[in-house]
Amino acid sequence: MRISLVRKRKFSVISVIVFLGAVIAAGCQSAPPRISIESPHAILSPAIYGEAMVTMTIKNEGGADVLKSVSADMPGAKVSLHVMEGKRMARVETMDIPGGNSTVFKMGGSHIMIENMPKTMTEGSPFTLTLAFEKSGEKKLQLKLEKAPSMPMNGGMH
Ligand SMILES: [Cu+2]
C-alpha cells in the first residue's frame, strides 16, 4: 500500500516536470522580437519621376515577427513592399521577419517602393516612413530623399 502511494507521487512529479518543460519550450518559441533598423536610406529613382526606393537592414535579435505594412507621410504617395522573383519585381502584402536574423532591403533585392510622390518631394526633402510590425508595433524612421548614385544600377531600380 505504502509503496504504491510513493510510486504514484513519483509519477505525478514527473508529469509536472514534463508539463513545465513543454510550457517553457512553447514560451521560447514565442519570445518577443527585438527589432532594430540599421542604415535606412531613401534613394530617388534616377529614371522615374516621383519614385524612390528605401533600403535598410532590419535586425531581429528576438523571436519572429511580421512586417505588416509600410506607409509614408506624403499625400497621395503609394508605398509598397517588393521582392524579386528571378529578375522581376513582385509586390507582397507582408514580409516575414525571422528571429535571430537580419532581413536586408537593398537594390536588386527586397525593397520598399514609394511611388506617386508629391512634386514638392525632391532631393533632401525629409519625411517619415512608418513600418508596422505584427508584434513590435510601429517603428518610425526619419528619412531624407537622397540622389541615386551615378553608377549603373543593373536594373535594380524601376
Ligand atoms: Cu520595386
Side-chain angles (χ1 to χ4, degrees):
M1 187 65 180
R2 228 180 168 182
I3 288 164
S4 75
L5 258 180
V6 169
R7 268 201 188 140
K8 250 189 185 164
R9 186 161 293 162
K10 255 190 186 162
F11 179 75
S12 64
V13 165
I14 287 167
S15 52
V16 165
I17 289 167
V18 168
F19 173 74
L20 283 177
V23 167
I24 290 163
C28 279
Q29 272 176 2
S30 58
R34 278 171 55 210
I35 284 176
S36 54
I37 314 287
E38 292 179 348
S39 53
H41 289 280
I43 303 152
L44 283 162
S45 166
I48 300 169
Y49 192 75
E51 270 197 22
M53 175 187 272
V54 181
T55 61
M56 70 182 84
T57 298
I58 300 178
K59 202 170 157 192
N60 184 3
E61 294 171 295
D65 207 342
V66 178
L67 179 55
K68 274 170 52 187
S69 69
V70 284
S71 58
D73 62 342
M74 295 180 208
K78 191 183 118 196
V79 188
S80 48
L81 286 166
H82 282 186
V83 295
M84 297 304 287
E85 285 180 354
K87 285 192 168 180
R88 308 183 87 191
M89 293 197 208
R91 196 188 154 178
V92 290
E93 294 301 317
T94 64
M95 200 170 283
D96 289 337
I97 307 296
N101 223 319
S102 287
T103 304
V104 180
F105 289 81
K106 60 177 184 183
M107 279 185 208
S110 301
H111 56 271
I112 293 165
M113 207 70 227
I114 307 175
E115 293 162 280
N116 199 31
M117 290 194 295
K119 286 193 172 75
T120 50
M121 296 300 291
T122 53
E123 191 187 341
S125 297
F127 68 99
T128 304
L129 186 82
T130 303
L131 305 176
F133 294 93
E134 191 175 86
K135 291 179 183 164
S136 306
E138 288 190 348
K139 303 258 182 216
K140 289 185 185 292
L141 306 175
Q142 309 300 327
L143 299 175
K144 268 184 189 166
L145 287 173
E146 299 168 34
K147 202 179 161 188
S150 51
M151 50 183 171
M153 297 252 197
N154 310 329
M157 205 72 149
H158 299 228

